[in-house]
Amino acid sequence: MPPTHEVFNQSPVLTGYDVADDPALLSALHREGAGWAADGVRALGRLAGSARAQEQGRQANENPPVLRTHDRFGHRIDEVEFHPAWHELMTVAVQHGLHAAPWRDGRPGAHVARAAGFYVWSAADAGHSCPISMTYAIVPALRHAPDLAQRFEPLLAAQDYDFGLRPPETKRGLLAGMSMTEKQGGSDVRANTTRAVPADGGYLLTGHKWFTSAPMGDLFMVLAQAPCGLSCFLLPRVRPDGSRNGMHLQRLKDKLGNRSNASAEVEYDNALAWLVGEEGRGVRTIIEMVNMTRLDCVLGTATGMRAAVTLAAHHASYRTVFGRKLADQPLMASVLADLVIESEATTMAAFRLAGATDRAVRGDQAEAAFRRLALAATKYWVCKRAPGHAAEALECLGGNGYVEESGMPRLYREAPLASIWEGSGNVAALDALRALTRQPEVAEAFFAELGQAAGADRRLDQAVARLRKELSDPSEARARQLAEGLALALQGALLVRHGDPAVADAFVASRLADSGGPWGWGHAFGTLPTGIDTAAIISRALPAM
Ligand SMILES: Cc1cc2nc3c(=O)[nH]c(=O)nc-3n(C[C@H](O)[C@H](O)[C@H](O)COP(=O)(O)OP(=O)(O)OC[C@H]3O[C@@H](n4cnc5c(N)ncnc54)[C@H](O)[C@@H]3O)c2cc1C
């Protein structure tokens, strides 16, 4: 058909840019002790923003994994087949050590460097970051069984992506998963019914798990009821003798979010597993894994926000409406700037937590105490903000944002996941409350952090005083207010101390100043008070192509 019209006023495709060209990320990288990794993070950022990686992300999501329960002769095989694009994404992630490099890199800042790599590379596809994250997270829990850690940690930390079901010790590199949630309860894992019976050289597990993501992993951390109570086990997908372990995949979940990753329903039938930690202390052991994945929930949320606001700012800087660039329309400028502020506040908190993780792993007790509360509260709050942020960023593109090709629907569908996973909203808020009320040193460390910003901004000081008052009478029913207040105060303190002055001022004026309601800061994005330098703020999210 001959063209009937000229195509104009569409923004160019956003490709060939450096995802790591992100001022909040780069300053945090230096501040949190991983300045030495900046060149590598920039290189990975360029890869993530390349047309090739974007295409891999698209293909991996448009060609979802397929479960093959049986071979053509009727033998059970329980394998999941992935599109080649998935394997390419995984290869880059593993080669860059995003799954475990800090566990064998003694340099201070190694966990921050890994967090930065994870943050930029997840922009290509959120789905494959799930097995990457779980492999990173399993190590501290696995160390509760030093013999198993000695056997498997070097393979978990190896930078070879070696896909396929084979005995773990015959592979060049391993990936891990976690298997806790059962039909009758995911938050309350004490209700688990999967049984673990001691047998020669280990235990045999029988029961089910309602969610187990990345089921083609090599090792799984599983909770099951042993004779002395709920316990944590390491379960190999293939037994050391080469036979398939009794881990049967019933179905793959038909999920809201990414389509690239597989999440399975599993039946364990006398599956061989080895005890990790003490019998009866399964929650205490696996919580170490959960806490590391919670960090990645915050990082992944920061990635999604940055990706969404970058797309929105890019579009609005090209698109003209009513004779003016969208980004220059005062109301759109307020929306975009508000989205940038939210994204930068999330990134800053995420990297403060990555830094705390790095220092806590190296024995810093104060940082461990700070992290205990800050992680629970931040996970609660930033994950709650994500779906609204994604929806608003999508709307900046108008109808184009609702169409798959824009990339926005993928970001939007993914946005609620991190809030559900690893402690759903209420559970995370209640965890923050528990940390505050049961561990005095935790509140002390948290307020010491806020104290470093004292005097810098009167509105922040007042917000911290209000927060202290809320703490004087903590209750379960108000745990969400409490977690929100903690997270906002932390984000405000970080921005005031280290952030861009325009972003910090707008954050405090909108999120913390005691002038709520629509005439201060409304309940939707794009209701910033007047007098904010929106153009300067938006420019921070504009990628250089
Ligand atoms: C895509 C995806 C992948 C997943 N992958 C895995 C995996 O690999 N391994 C795994 O083990 N699990 C996995 N999960 C499961 C996930 O961890 C659970 O869904 C989650 O822990 C919540 O458990 P539940 O679904 O049983 O909900 P429930 O525990 O029934 O919770 C329902 C709601 O009640 C709230 N709630 C719970 N307790 C309280 C309370 N005391 N007070 C107030 N409110 C409360 C929760 O916040 C939640 O909103 C995955 C889930 C998804 C969506």
Side-chain angles (χ1 to χ4, degrees):
M1 187 178 153
T4 60
H5 61 284
E6 182 196 345
V7 177
F8 68 102
N9 200 24
Q10 295 275 20
S11 55
V13 177
L14 175 56
T15 194
Y17 74 105
D18 179 357
V19 173
D21 184 12
D22 172 340
L25 160 71
L26 295 175
S27 62
L29 193 63
H30 286 90
R31 195 168 56 247
E32 299 296 342
W36 50 265
D39 289 346
V41 172
R42 294 302 291 255
L44 192 55
R46 285 191 291 277
L47 203 56
S50 68
R52 186 179 161 81
Q54 290 173 336
E55 183 60 8
Q56 288 164 353
R58 184 189 70 77
Q59 287 185 354
N61 280 279
E62 289 185 6
N63 299 279
V66 177
L67 173 61
R68 306 263 180 237
T69 52
H70 294 80
D71 69 10
R72 55 193 277 235
F73 305 106
H75 307 112
R76 268 207 94 110
I77 52 171
D78 298 292
E79 295 197 15
V80 181
E81 240 173 50
F82 290 86
H83 188 269
W86 165 271
H87 296 302
E88 287 166 22
L89 291 161
M90 289 292 294
T91 300
V92 172
V94 173
Q95 280 177 349
H96 285 79
L98 308 184
H99 66 306
W103 300 121
R104 65 174 197 184
D105 181 348
R107 275 179 292 182
H111 289 270
V112 180
R114 178 262 166 197
F118 182 84
Y119 172 85
V120 298
W121 182 246
S122 302
D125 162 59
H128 81 291
S129 67
C130 170
I132 294 301
S133 181
M134 291 193 294
T135 306
Y136 171 60
I138 200 173
V139 171
L142 186 61
R143 287 180 179 174
H144 286 262
D147 54 329
L148 295 174
Q150 202 179 7
R151 259 169 91 182
F152 296 118
E153 200 177 308
L155 289 166
L156 287 163
Q159 286 173 233
D160 284 307
Y161 175 57
D162 188 2
F163 181 79
L165 299 189
R166 297 191 301 285
E169 277 153 314
T170 66
K171 296 187 72 174
R172 296 192 311 280
L174 302 177
L175 291 169
M178 71 186 351
S179 198
M180 302 186 293
T181 308
E182 298 189 0
K183 289 171 187 146
Q184 68 281 1
S187 307
D188 187 2
V189 289
R190 292 167 308 176
N192 274 194
T193 59
T194 297
R195 300 175 308 282
V197 178
D200 281 350
Y203 290 71
L204 294 177
L205 270 50
T206 302
H208 85 281
K209 294 291 166 181
W210 188 225
F211 280 92
T212 295
S213 293
M216 288 300 281
D218 302 291
L219 298 169
F220 291 83
M221 209 55 111
V222 186
L223 285 179
Q225 302 287 358
C228 290
L230 192 66
S231 309
C232 189
F233 296 91
L234 186 73
L235 184 145
R237 191 72 160 75
V238 178
R239 288 167 173 245
D241 66 7
S243 61
R244 293 280 164 101
N245 209 355
M247 179 178 177
H248 303 306
L249 310 185
Q250 303 296 95
R251 287 194 297 181
L252 298 187
K253 297 289 191 188
D254 184 7
K255 294 178 294 185
L256 168 71
N258 71 76
R259 317 293 292 185
S260 57
N261 188 24
S263 293
E265 294 168 14
V266 173
E267 293 281 335
Y268 291 114
D269 179 14
N270 281 312
L272 171 71
W274 303 292
L275 183 67
V276 179
E278 286 173 47
E279 248 194 45
R281 294 175 71 83
V283 173
R284 182 70 63 93
T285 307
I286 211 161
I287 202 73
E288 302 232 21
M289 183 170 186
V290 170
N291 271 329
M292 297 309 273
T293 47
R294 282 185 181 174
L295 173 65
D296 284 3
C297 288
V298 175
L299 284 163
T301 298
T303 299
M305 285 187 179
R306 176 73 185 175
V309 77
T310 301
L311 279 168
H314 168 77
H315 175 81
S317 68
Y318 285 93
R319 179 84 161 180
T320 298
V321 289
F322 301 106
R324 220 173 173 187
K325 285 270 155 37
L326 251 182
D328 297 334
Q329 297 281 5
L331 188 51
M332 181 54 94
S334 181
V335 172
L336 289 169
D338 215 357
L339 294 172
V340 175
I341 291 162
E342 194 69 30
S343 153
E344 291 208 4
T346 302
T347 299
M348 293 197 58
F351 279 90
R352 176 66 185 87
L353 289 166
T357 300
D358 196 80
R359 291 181 281 277
V361 163
R362 289 167 220 290
D364 185 329
Q365 293 302 314
E367 284 289 273
F370 163 76
R371 183 184 188 274
R372 170 72 187 88
L373 176 57
L375 182 55
T378 306
K379 179 188 184 288
Y380 165 74
W381 179 239
V382 304
C383 295
K384 277 280 158 270
R385 298 292 284 163
H389 188 276
E392 200 64 67
L394 177 159
E395 192 174 320
C396 294
L397 275 67
N400 286 344
Y402 204 70
V403 173
E404 287 291 340
E405 285 163 322
S406 72
M408 286 292 199
R410 252 168 69 197
L411 294 171
Y412 179 70
R413 284 195 302 268
E414 190 68 8
L417 174 63
S419 189
I420 296 173
W421 202 48
E422 303 300 8
S424 307
N426 285 352
V427 173
L430 289 169
D431 192 38
L433 176 69
R434 198 175 310 119
L436 259 176
T437 48
R438 293 204 193 151
Q439 294 169 263
E441 73 282 7
V442 154
E444 208 175 290
F446 188 83
F447 280 96
E449 172 80 15
L450 299 187
Q452 295 193 50
D457 188 307
R458 185 183 41 81
R459 298 160 300 179
L460 173 63
D461 292 344
Q462 287 169 348
V464 174
R466 284 198 302 277
L467 180 60
R468 280 192 181 276
K469 208 166 145 210
E470 176 78 31
L471 296 186
S472 62
D473 183 21
S475 77
E476 273 202 26
R478 285 182 63 79
R480 281 188 176 222
Q481 280 98 323
L482 182 71
E484 175 178 332
L486 291 164
L488 283 172
L490 175 61
Q491 289 179 322
L494 290 169
L495 278 163
V496 163
R497 285 172 65 209
H498 310 296
D500 171 76
V503 175
D505 179 51
F507 183 91
V508 175
S510 54
R511 276 84 169 155
L512 293 174
D514 193 12
S515 54
W519 313 122
W521 186 51
H523 299 290
F525 285 103
T527 53
L528 290 175
T530 49
I532 304 279
D533 188 353
T534 51
I537 294 173
I538 296 166
S539 71
R540 296 173 64 80
L542 275 177
M545 284 199 287

